[in-house]
Structure formats: C-alpha cells, structure tokens
Amino acid sequence: MSLPHAILTALLEKPSSGLELTRRFDRSIGYFWSATHQQIYRELGRLEGEGLIRALPCDQPARGQKKAYEVLPAGRAELARWTAAAQDPKPHRDALLLRLRAAAVVGTVGLEADLRRHLELHERQLAEYREIEQRDFPPGKDGPEDRLRHLVLRAGIDLETFWTQWLGHALAEFAHLPDTVGTRPPGPREA
C-alpha cells in the first residue's frame, strides 16, 4: 500500500482537511499504514498537482482556513486501478526475530525482558482492536462496506492474537533455556 492510495481511500470515505486526515489516520488507517502530518500535507499537494484531488471551494477567505479536499474522477480511477492490480506479498522483516537468532550465538541477556514488553504491547493493541470491533461492528451491521472494513480489523485482531500467542510460547521456551546459550565458541561450520 502506498500513502497516496491511503489518502485517496480516506478522502473517498469523507472529504477532509489535512488536519482531519491526520486525525483519521491516527484512529483508523494508521493501525496498518502510518503517516506523519507533514507526509500527508506533502502528498495532498502532490495529488492535487496531478489532478487526482481538489480543494473544495470555500465561502470565506482562505487565509487561516483549513482546506478540505475531495477526490476527482481521475483519483477514483487511479484508486480502482491500484485496488484491482495484483501485488505480491512483501517479505516479513522483524528485528525481534533476528535478535532471537542472534541470541543463539551471542547470548540472551536482556532479551527475555524485551519479549515481556512486546507481549504487553501486543496485548494492549489486541484489547484496543476488540473494543473497536464491539463499538463499530455490532450484530446486524453487515453491509458490504462494513464487512470489508471489519475484515481489515479482523486482520489486525488475528495478527495481534498470533503475536500474543507466539510471545507466550517464546517466554515459555526462555524458562527452559540454560544460562550458557550463545556462550560457546563458534564451530567450524558457523565461523
């Protein structure tokens, strides 16, 4: 996913100013695609320059007024093109997994505490996603748009569930590791 497509999506859902978009990113899209205030404003200017969005006309003078943007037909067509295009999954890169691999050769000092911290963070995120699900997707709210939005939220719930379960398993493994893990000199094949 790219930031321009995230912005086009958000603007098609509701025309907004840059500040409103930033707030909406913090509350929804930002859970799976984050952007800073500056990145959003820079991208809004680029999208407007390419004729994909436009600033809505204001009744009052523009000085100090927040510009609200809407998607033009060319922007909708670009988003539809991008949505329909095939994309390969990206390889997963996670520093925590690499650190575990490194611990096998240099030792585990400090890693168990960080695993516990990660578990707490993922448990909090999972709880937040479940609250959102209860609030925003009550029984009977199952229109096509709602079902797709709920599917995205379910991905977040499932990922956080995976991480909390995996981290629990990792911490259980740490309880059985000897203190000497990673302290032996490398063998001929490892050097």
Side-chain angles (χ1 to χ4, degrees):
M1 177 183 212
S2 66
L3 181 56
H5 298 104
I7 290 173
L8 288 170
T9 299
L11 289 176
L12 278 169
E13 291 173 344
K14 179 183 175 191
S16 304
S17 69
L19 181 59
E20 291 166 335
L21 277 174
T22 300
R23 289 179 181 153
R24 287 174 58 208
F25 264 70
D26 288 345
R27 291 189 320 261
S28 61
I29 291 174
Y31 287 117
F32 54 91
W33 192 264
S34 61
T36 66
H37 188 76
Q38 293 84 2
Q39 290 171 316
I40 290 172
Y41 273 94
R42 188 171 40 245
E43 198 59 45
L44 285 169
R46 195 179 71 69
L47 290 168
E48 188 175 26
E50 291 177 3
L52 301 178
I53 65 172
R54 73 174 178 140
L56 292 169
C58 283
D59 295 334
Q60 300 169 354
R63 185 163 175 81
Q65 194 75 6
K66 291 187 280 185
K67 273 197 226 179
Y69 295 90
E70 69 177 353
V71 177
L72 295 171
R76 180 180 283 275
E78 167 54 23
L79 188 58
R81 182 210 58 77
W82 178 78
T83 301
Q87 271 189 340
D88 292 337
K90 302 283 185 223
H92 184 73
R93 293 170 50 165
D94 191 293
L96 180 61
L97 298 177
L98 182 58
R99 289 171 56 215
L100 278 170
R101 180 72 183 248
V105 292
V106 297
T108 60
V109 174
L111 197 50
E112 185 175 1
D114 203 37
L115 287 172
R116 290 187 193 290
R117 187 180 69 81
H118 276 252
L119 178 58
E120 289 172 14
L121 293 170
H122 285 288
E123 286 173 336
R124 272 188 277 181
Q125 189 65 64
L126 179 58
E128 186 175 344
Y129 284 162
R130 287 187 172 148
E131 286 175 24
I132 292 169
E133 184 177 42
Q134 285 184 332
R135 181 191 70 220
D136 293 351
F137 299 101
K141 188 174 182 181
D142 61 353
E145 295 87 0
D146 294 321
R147 291 174 73 179
L148 289 172
R149 289 183 186 113
H150 193 191
L151 191 59
V152 172
L153 179 60
R154 280 298 325 168
I157 289 169
D158 291 348
L159 283 169
E160 294 303 327
T161 300
F162 161 78
W163 280 112
T164 57
Q165 290 173 349
W166 181 86
L167 285 159
H169 177 72
L171 286 164
E173 285 292 324
F174 263 69
H176 301 292
L177 292 176
D179 293 337
T180 58
V181 169
T183 59
R184 66 178 173 78
R189 298 183 108 199
E190 297 171 305

